[in-house]
Amino acid sequence: MNSTSTISTTLAQELKSNTHSSTNNTVEVKNMSFKYKANLEPALQNIDLTVKKNTVMGFIGPSGCGKSTLLRCFNRMNDFAIGSHVSTGNIHVLGEDIYQNNVDVTELRKKVGMVFQKSNPFPDTIYNNVAYGLRINGINDKDTLDAKVENSLIQCGLWDEAKDRLNQSAQGLSGGQQQRLCIARTIAVNPEIILMDEPTSALDPIASAKIEELITTLKQDYTLIVVTHNMQQATRISDYTAFFYLGKLIECDETQKIFTNPSQQTTENYISGKFG
């Protein structure tokens, strides 16, 4: 069962996923399909997925399988692709159906932060980068800003490296430091969920290791959903792993089970390197 044709045949016969029942979920996706206006076929089809609070969920799968598309659905970043839409099903985030017409998307994005593949610090000081979200939310008291900036940088393991450079440009930080700064900027506004789209793909192994360590620490206070092409990384950081292929969720389970005893043949073929 290692040819592409056999994989496709097997895929058609497989269950979509194994979901995790809990009364303490942060994200629940029910029979959801998503379509980009420019494409004839849906980018995601019939997705059922549950993400538990204070866990790390890893998304794996080959390029173009829908991982990042689903991630961007959770804070409606896909709204920027005009005409794209959830065509069936629904997504509940923190108990709210986020695709209802009356949803305040700005409020949603306060609760669901986003860290991108390439670090994107603003062309401003380290301090102002972290304080940015607080200020646009109306927080201008200096003592409050100072405390939040310090605490956010401490949480991201960047305080000792940046405390004497707070008024210097963030562009002077290394790539790994810039990515940790972007995470600090995200958590400064107290989100409940953090989305990360391949947050270490542009970093060297040492910087990547620091981000991975940070992710495992942050789950004490946040729920994290991380897209990664690095399966070894998924095994290190994720409590649960979801495997996607051709716009479908093939399997979701505890990470150890996914990588040692997957339920679906397509999953086994992918993690063993037979395709991807």
mmCIF file of all heavy atoms in Angstrom, residues 201-223:
data_model
loop_
_atom_site.group_PDB
_atom_site.id
_atom_site.type_symbol
_atom_site.label_atom_id
_atom_site.label_comp_id
_atom_site.label_asym_id
_atom_site.label_seq_id
_atom_site.Cartn_x
_atom_site.Cartn_y
_atom_site.Cartn_z
ATOM 1 N N SER A 201 10.231 27.251 10.962
ATOM 2 C CA SER A 201 10.729 26.793 9.658
ATOM 3 C C SER A 201 11.861 27.664 9.111
ATOM 4 O O SER A 201 12.663 27.208 8.295
ATOM 5 C CB SER A 201 9.590 26.738 8.639
ATOM 6 O OG SER A 201 9.052 28.023 8.417
ATOM 7 N N ALA A 202 11.935 28.931 9.547
ATOM 8 C CA ALA A 202 12.979 29.829 9.058
ATOM 9 C C ALA A 202 14.142 29.959 10.038
ATOM 10 O O ALA A 202 15.024 30.802 9.848
ATOM 11 C CB ALA A 202 12.383 31.207 8.779
ATOM 12 N N LEU A 203 14.164 29.112 11.085
ATOM 13 C CA LEU A 203 15.158 29.259 12.148
ATOM 14 C C LEU A 203 16.182 28.130 12.137
ATOM 15 O O LEU A 203 15.903 27.028 11.657
ATOM 16 C CB LEU A 203 14.455 29.295 13.515
ATOM 17 C CG LEU A 203 13.382 30.367 13.698
ATOM 18 C CD1 LEU A 203 12.777 30.262 15.094
ATOM 19 C CD2 LEU A 203 13.941 31.763 13.453
ATOM 20 N N ASP A 204 17.348 28.410 12.723
ATOM 21 C CA ASP A 204 18.365 27.371 12.859
ATOM 22 C C ASP A 204 17.984 26.432 14.002
ATOM 23 O O ASP A 204 17.080 26.727 14.793
ATOM 24 C CB ASP A 204 19.743 27.998 13.110
ATOM 25 C CG ASP A 204 19.798 28.821 14.391
ATOM 26 O OD1 ASP A 204 19.550 28.248 15.483
ATOM 27 O OD2 ASP A 204 20.087 30.024 14.322
ATOM 28 N N PRO A 205 18.652 25.280 14.122
ATOM 29 C CA PRO A 205 18.258 24.288 15.129
ATOM 30 C C PRO A 205 18.264 24.803 16.562
ATOM 31 O O PRO A 205 17.398 24.435 17.364
ATOM 32 C CB PRO A 205 19.278 23.159 14.926
ATOM 33 C CG PRO A 205 19.671 23.262 13.487
ATOM 34 C CD PRO A 205 19.678 24.735 13.194
ATOM 35 N N ILE A 206 19.235 25.657 16.903
ATOM 36 C CA ILE A 206 19.310 26.165 18.280
ATOM 37 C C ILE A 206 18.122 27.079 18.574
ATOM 38 O O ILE A 206 17.457 26.961 19.605
ATOM 39 C CB ILE A 206 20.638 26.903 18.517
ATOM 40 C CG1 ILE A 206 21.809 25.909 18.436
ATOM 41 C CG2 ILE A 206 20.633 27.608 19.873
ATOM 42 C CD1 ILE A 206 23.174 26.535 18.532
ATOM 43 N N ALA A 207 17.830 27.996 17.645
ATOM 44 C CA ALA A 207 16.691 28.893 17.825
ATOM 45 C C ALA A 207 15.384 28.112 17.821
ATOM 46 O O ALA A 207 14.460 28.407 18.586
ATOM 47 C CB ALA A 207 16.683 29.960 16.729
ATOM 48 N N SER A 208 15.306 27.082 16.967
ATOM 49 C CA SER A 208 14.101 26.245 16.917
ATOM 50 C C SER A 208 13.875 25.532 18.245
ATOM 51 O O SER A 208 12.733 25.432 18.719
ATOM 52 C CB SER A 208 14.219 25.214 15.788
ATOM 53 O OG SER A 208 14.267 25.846 14.528
ATOM 54 N N ALA A 209 14.951 25.047 18.839
ATOM 55 C CA ALA A 209 14.830 24.342 20.112
ATOM 56 C C ALA A 209 14.278 25.258 21.199
ATOM 57 O O ALA A 209 13.485 24.830 22.050
ATOM 58 C CB ALA A 209 16.183 23.772 20.528
ATOM 59 N N LYS A 210 14.682 26.529 21.170
ATOM 60 C CA LYS A 210 14.173 27.483 22.167
ATOM 61 C C LYS A 210 12.674 27.724 21.978
ATOM 62 O O LYS A 210 11.927 27.835 22.953
ATOM 63 C CB LYS A 210 14.950 28.799 22.079
ATOM 64 C CG LYS A 210 16.380 28.698 22.583
ATOM 65 C CD LYS A 210 17.081 30.042 22.545
ATOM 66 C CE LYS A 210 18.498 29.938 23.099
ATOM 67 N NZ LYS A 210 19.205 31.243 23.078
ATOM 68 N N ILE A 211 12.241 27.809 20.716
ATOM 69 C CA ILE A 211 10.817 27.988 20.448
ATOM 70 C C ILE A 211 10.039 26.758 20.894
ATOM 71 O O ILE A 211 8.961 26.860 21.509
ATOM 72 C CB ILE A 211 10.566 28.269 18.959
ATOM 73 C CG1 ILE A 211 11.243 29.572 18.521
ATOM 74 C CG2 ILE A 211 9.058 28.319 18.670
ATOM 75 C CD1 ILE A 211 10.676 30.821 19.127
ATOM 76 N N GLU A 212 10.569 25.576 20.620
ATOM 77 C CA GLU A 212 9.898 24.339 21.044
ATOM 78 C C GLU A 212 9.771 24.278 22.562
ATOM 79 O O GLU A 212 8.713 23.906 23.101
ATOM 80 C CB GLU A 212 10.666 23.124 20.533
ATOM 81 C CG GLU A 212 10.579 22.926 19.028
ATOM 82 C CD GLU A 212 11.289 21.670 18.570
ATOM 83 O OE1 GLU A 212 11.689 20.846 19.439
ATOM 84 O OE2 GLU A 212 11.465 21.483 17.354
ATOM 85 N N GLU A 213 10.832 24.627 23.260
ATOM 86 C CA GLU A 213 10.783 24.643 24.723
ATOM 87 C C GLU A 213 9.746 25.645 25.211
ATOM 88 O O GLU A 213 8.996 25.380 26.167
ATOM 89 C CB GLU A 213 12.163 24.994 25.276
ATOM 90 C CG GLU A 213 12.241 24.988 26.791
ATOM 91 C CD GLU A 213 13.630 25.324 27.317
ATOM 92 O OE1 GLU A 213 14.563 25.506 26.496
ATOM 93 O OE2 GLU A 213 13.784 25.415 28.548
ATOM 94 N N LEU A 214 9.679 26.791 24.536
ATOM 95 C CA LEU A 214 8.708 27.823 24.895
ATOM 96 C C LEU A 214 7.281 27.307 24.703
ATOM 97 O O LEU A 214 6.411 27.517 25.553
ATOM 98 C CB LEU A 214 8.947 29.069 24.046
ATOM 99 C CG LEU A 214 7.944 30.216 24.182
ATOM 100 C CD1 LEU A 214 7.850 30.695 25.615
ATOM 101 C CD2 LEU A 214 8.344 31.362 23.249
ATOM 102 N N ILE A 215 7.037 26.613 23.608
ATOM 103 C CA ILE A 215 5.696 26.092 23.330
ATOM 104 C C ILE A 215 5.242 25.155 24.444
ATOM 105 O O ILE A 215 4.106 25.241 24.930
ATOM 106 C CB ILE A 215 5.678 25.374 21.964
ATOM 107 C CG1 ILE A 215 5.780 26.408 20.828
ATOM 108 C CG2 ILE A 215 4.406 24.542 21.803
ATOM 109 C CD1 ILE A 215 6.000 25.793 19.457
ATOM 110 N N THR A 216 6.118 24.250 24.864
ATOM 111 C CA THR A 216 5.728 23.296 25.906
ATOM 112 C C THR A 216 5.494 23.988 27.243
ATOM 113 O O THR A 216 4.711 23.502 28.075
ATOM 114 C CB THR A 216 6.797 22.201 26.066
ATOM 115 O OG1 THR A 216 8.066 22.790 26.390
ATOM 116 C CG2 THR A 216 6.955 21.407 24.772
ATOM 117 N N THR A 217 6.137 25.130 27.456
ATOM 118 C CA THR A 217 5.916 25.904 28.684
ATOM 119 C C THR A 217 4.611 26.694 28.615
ATOM 120 O O THR A 217 3.857 26.751 29.596
ATOM 121 C CB THR A 217 7.095 26.871 28.917
ATOM 122 O OG1 THR A 217 8.306 26.125 29.034
ATOM 123 C CG2 THR A 217 6.882 27.688 30.189
ATOM 124 N N LEU A 218 4.332 27.263 27.462
ATOM 125 C CA LEU A 218 3.161 28.128 27.320
ATOM 126 C C LEU A 218 1.848 27.386 27.498
ATOM 127 O O LEU A 218 0.832 27.997 27.852
ATOM 128 C CB LEU A 218 3.177 28.816 25.945
ATOM 129 C CG LEU A 218 4.211 29.931 25.747
ATOM 130 C CD1 LEU A 218 4.179 30.420 24.298
ATOM 131 C CD2 LEU A 218 3.968 31.090 26.709
ATOM 132 N N LYS A 219 1.825 26.084 27.265
ATOM 133 C CA LYS A 219 0.550 25.370 27.374
ATOM 134 C C LYS A 219 0.010 25.340 28.812
ATOM 135 O O LYS A 219 -1.150 24.996 29.017
ATOM 136 C CB LYS A 219 0.664 23.950 26.813
ATOM 137 C CG LYS A 219 1.435 22.984 27.676
ATOM 138 C CD LYS A 219 1.424 21.593 27.043
ATOM 139 C CE LYS A 219 2.159 20.583 27.894
ATOM 140 N NZ LYS A 219 2.172 19.234 27.290
ATOM 141 N N GLN A 220 0.833 25.717 29.778
ATOM 142 C CA GLN A 220 0.321 25.848 31.140
ATOM 143 C C GLN A 220 -0.747 26.943 31.218
ATOM 144 O O GLN A 220 -1.663 26.871 32.043
ATOM 145 C CB GLN A 220 1.462 26.173 32.098
ATOM 146 C CG GLN A 220 2.534 25.103 32.171
ATOM 147 C CD GLN A 220 3.712 25.542 33.035
ATOM 148 O OE1 GLN A 220 3.555 26.315 33.981
ATOM 149 N NE2 GLN A 220 4.900 25.064 32.718
ATOM 150 N N ASP A 221 -0.632 27.948 30.354
ATOM 151 C CA ASP A 221 -1.531 29.101 30.408
ATOM 152 C C ASP A 221 -2.395 29.274 29.163
ATOM 153 O O ASP A 221 -3.376 30.021 29.196
ATOM 154 C CB ASP A 221 -0.723 30.387 30.616
ATOM 155 C CG ASP A 221 0.067 30.368 31.907
ATOM 156 O OD1 ASP A 221 -0.558 30.178 32.963
ATOM 157 O OD2 ASP A 221 1.294 30.535 31.859
ATOM 158 N N TYR A 222 -2.026 28.600 28.076
ATOM 159 C CA TYR A 222 -2.723 28.796 26.813
ATOM 160 C C TYR A 222 -2.968 27.444 26.137
ATOM 161 O O TYR A 222 -2.339 26.440 26.469
ATOM 162 C CB TYR A 222 -1.890 29.674 25.852
ATOM 163 C CG TYR A 222 -1.382 30.944 26.483
ATOM 164 C CD1 TYR A 222 -0.099 31.007 27.030
ATOM 165 C CD2 TYR A 222 -2.175 32.084 26.540
ATOM 166 C CE1 TYR A 222 0.372 32.168 27.627
ATOM 167 C CE2 TYR A 222 -1.711 33.256 27.130
ATOM 168 C CZ TYR A 222 -0.436 33.287 27.676
ATOM 169 O OH TYR A 222 0.023 34.434 28.264
ATOM 170 N N THR A 223 -3.867 27.465 25.166
ATOM 171 C CA THR A 223 -4.037 26.335 24.256
ATOM 172 C C THR A 223 -3.319 26.700 22.966
ATOM 173 O O THR A 223 -3.496 27.806 22.443
ATOM 174 C CB THR A 223 -5.528 26.084 23.978
ATOM 175 O OG1 THR A 223 -6.187 25.811 25.220
ATOM 176 C CG2 THR A 223 -5.717 24.916 23.024
#
